[in-house]
Amino acid sequence: MIVDHLPILPVVLPLLAAPFCIILKNRILCWGLVSIVSLSCLLISLFIITSLVPGNPLIYSIGGWESPVGISYFIDHLNGVLLFFVCMLTSFLILFFSFSLDWDISKKNQYFFYTAFLLCFAGLVGVILTADAFNAFVFIEISSLATYILVALGRDKQSLLASYRYLIFGTIGATFFVLGIGVLYILTGTLNFQDMALRLSENNQVEAQYAAFTLVMVGLFIKASVFPLHAWLPNSYAHAPALATTFFSAIGTKVFLYLIIRFAFDVFNFGLIIDSTFINTVFFVLAILGIFFGAMAAFFEKNIKKLFAYSSVSQVGLILIGISLGTVDGLVAGIIHLVNHGITKGFIFVIICYLTFKIGRSTIDDFSGIAKVYPISCAGIVLGCLSLIGVPGTPGFITKFSLISSMISAQNYILAFTV
């Protein structure tokens, strides 16, 4: 029955549809195809998450080969919610913001954007669903290669430089990640997350486990733009096409933060690691530095797109705090803030990109007095910023309050004051 194959369809559908965009070469038909695929994935994700039973994850074995021999997809409430979140935002952007492609790309070449967009979407969804470490690396590469193309499709020459810079950083990140996977495979003889975790718990080579943990985390920190490995982010947001910028800001880094959670808590014994090494301190320090650096860089930035990109670095630091606490409350608070930030930042970038197109420039000086002409759009930006700050009455207040509560529960009062 097709219902039995639902877990793999959110990956297969965009992968199959991408070549058809190249064949069709018609922006209207390509838009329709991408809309159908994204909405189908949204409905599938909704069906999956409503079908999940607590403590009973959905496991799909590709080709009938059970794990750990074959590649499996593993869906629980954590990545089920994230899958729905990604599909929902993707569908919204395609249906209601795809007209922005006319600002950046000629109509005859938009089919190329849709092709890369589908590949990027498939790669990110694959990262969310897979329970195989090397398969996660493959999907990271698929999404990254497509991302380089999307950034390079910007209308100015700076987009090519931004794409090249991201390519360099992305390649370094992928190299660290795959080296970590290689060490894990040597230690365990498997690539399946659950089987790997079981064998690591029985493995006494602690130093090698720390080395693998470090390599994997460095690679994922680059992809998630954790300070100080974030240098690729501001230019990518500033010079990519508006639709790509909004997609990246809402979804891109969030998927890799999820993968950090999956490796830290499901593959490695995170509680044991932070109790026995300085990793706990490292995570805290990086989170705090990221919060302050992102805020200060945004304060001095003149380009409004880069300003909100640096704000994302600060918000990633907040999410990392929730993860690094190593508690259930901290993890839940980090995930809630992850989802809230994705929605809020995507909303802000939709407005910012629209106003940038209208006035033709993106510096703060150019935006001076624009509220007189576009009062509703500017009010939307203010509302989004209030949520990012955490003003009472906004979604950001709820998520930041959850983070502070989790820190107090963990008796980390210094961090609670920082947030």
Side-chain angles (χ1 to χ4, degrees):
M1 295 177 61
I2 192 171
V3 175
D4 299 330
H5 299 282
L6 285 181
I8 199 174
L9 288 181
V11 176
V12 171
L13 288 178
L15 285 178
L16 290 178
F20 282 97
C21 289
I22 294 291
I23 295 172
L24 294 172
K25 292 186 178 181
N26 182 289
R27 68 186 186 95
I28 301 299
L29 294 177
C30 290
W31 175 83
L33 180 60
V34 177
S35 299
I36 292 172
V37 169
S38 61
L39 287 174
S40 299
C41 292
L42 176 61
L43 293 175
I44 292 170
S45 66
L46 180 61
F47 179 83
I48 289 174
I49 197 172
T50 54
S51 302
L52 287 174
V53 178
N56 187 23
L58 181 61
I59 299 176
Y60 178 84
S61 300
I62 296 178
W65 293 89
E66 300 290 336
S67 59
V69 177
I71 296 174
S72 297
Y73 283 15
F74 178 96
I75 307 177
D76 55 13
H77 282 87
L78 172 58
N79 59 348
V81 169
L82 187 61
L83 174 65
F84 176 76
F85 164 73
V86 169
C87 293
M88 178 187 67
L89 289 183
T90 301
S91 299
F92 175 84
L93 291 176
I94 288 297
L95 290 174
F96 301 107
F97 197 55
S98 58
F99 64 86
S100 65
L101 288 179
D102 293 339
W103 308 342
D104 303 296
I105 305 173
S106 63
K107 293 181 179 181
K108 65 177 182 179
N109 292 326
Q110 289 181 15
Y111 73 93
F112 196 59
F113 178 94
Y114 285 119
T115 303
F117 185 88
L118 283 172
L119 292 175
C120 183
F121 174 65
L124 294 176
V125 170
V127 170
I128 294 171
L129 297 182
T130 187
D132 182 274
F134 189 78
N135 197 236
F137 167 72
V138 172
F139 282 122
I140 287 174
E141 286 300 281
I142 291 174
S143 65
S144 297
L145 291 172
T147 300
Y148 307 148
I149 296 172
L150 292 174
V151 174
L153 289 174
R155 58 181 175 179
D156 56 46
K157 293 182 179 179
Q158 290 297 320
S159 61
L160 294 176
L161 180 60
S163 177
Y164 179 74
R165 182 176 297 176
Y166 183 30
L167 185 151
I168 299 298
F169 273 89
T171 301
I172 294 173
T175 301
F176 272 96
F177 181 77
V178 77
L179 285 174
I181 298 302
V183 175
L184 285 173
Y185 184 73
I186 293 172
L187 290 174
T188 62
T190 183
L191 293 170
N192 180 266
F193 288 162
Q194 291 179 311
D195 196 45
M196 191 180 287
L198 178 62
R199 298 191 188 190
L200 282 176
S201 65
E202 301 169 351
N203 189 289
N204 296 322
Q205 301 182 56
V206 179
E207 292 81 3
Q209 291 191 38
Y210 293 156
F213 180 83
T214 302
L215 289 169
V216 168
M217 288 299 131
V218 169
L220 293 179
F221 277 11
I222 292 176
K223 294 292 185 178
S225 70
V226 174
F227 177 87
L229 306 175
H230 65 282
W232 61 270
L233 185 72
N235 285 320
S236 297
Y237 280 18
H239 302 295
L243 181 57
T245 296
T246 309
F247 180 75
F248 299 153
S249 64
I251 296 172
T253 57
K254 314 305 181 295
V255 171
F256 297 106
L257 285 168
Y258 154 77
L259 200 56
I260 290 173
I261 295 172
R262 185 62 81 186
F263 268 93
F265 287 90
D266 285 357
V267 177
F268 297 95
N269 188 338
F270 194 62
L272 177 62
I273 286 175
I274 63 175
D275 286 341
S276 59
T277 71
F278 62 92
I279 290 179
N280 183 22
T281 303
V282 172
F283 270 57
F284 280 151
V285 169
L286 290 179
I288 293 175
L289 289 177
I291 292 171
F292 280 103
F293 174 83
M296 293 302 296
F299 181 79
F300 290 104
E301 180 57 56
K302 299 300 182 182
N303 185 297
I304 197 163
K305 288 185 179 180
K306 290 185 179 181
L307 184 154
F308 281 103
Y310 282 119
S311 168
S312 292
V313 175
S314 182
Q315 298 296 320
V316 166
L318 287 173
I319 298 168
L320 186 62
I321 283 180
I323 297 172
S324 60
L325 290 175
T327 63
V328 174
D329 290 341
L331 182 59
V332 171
I335 294 170
I336 293 173
H337 192 66
L338 181 152
V339 173
N340 173 67
H341 176 255
I343 296 173
T344 303
K345 192 55 69 71
F347 171 74
I348 290 175
F349 266 105
V350 165
I351 301 175
I352 291 295
C353 291
Y354 170 74
L355 294 178
T356 299
F357 167 72
K358 286 296 184 179
I359 66 177
R361 294 171 301 276
S362 59
T363 66
I364 293 179
D365 291 339
D366 295 324
F367 272 62
S368 177
I370 198 174
K372 297 177 182 178
V373 184
Y374 302 101
I376 297 177
S377 297
C378 292
I381 295 177
V382 172
L383 180 62
C385 291
L386 292 176
S387 182
L388 291 178
I389 295 170
V391 173
T394 64
F397 171 77
I398 298 173
T399 58
K400 286 196 173 184
F401 184 81
S402 299
L403 280 170
I404 293 172
S405 299
S406 65
M407 294 172 205
I408 294 175
S409 299
Q411 298 182 345
N412 202 318
Y413 304 106
I414 296 177
L415 278 179
F417 175 77
T418 301
V419 175

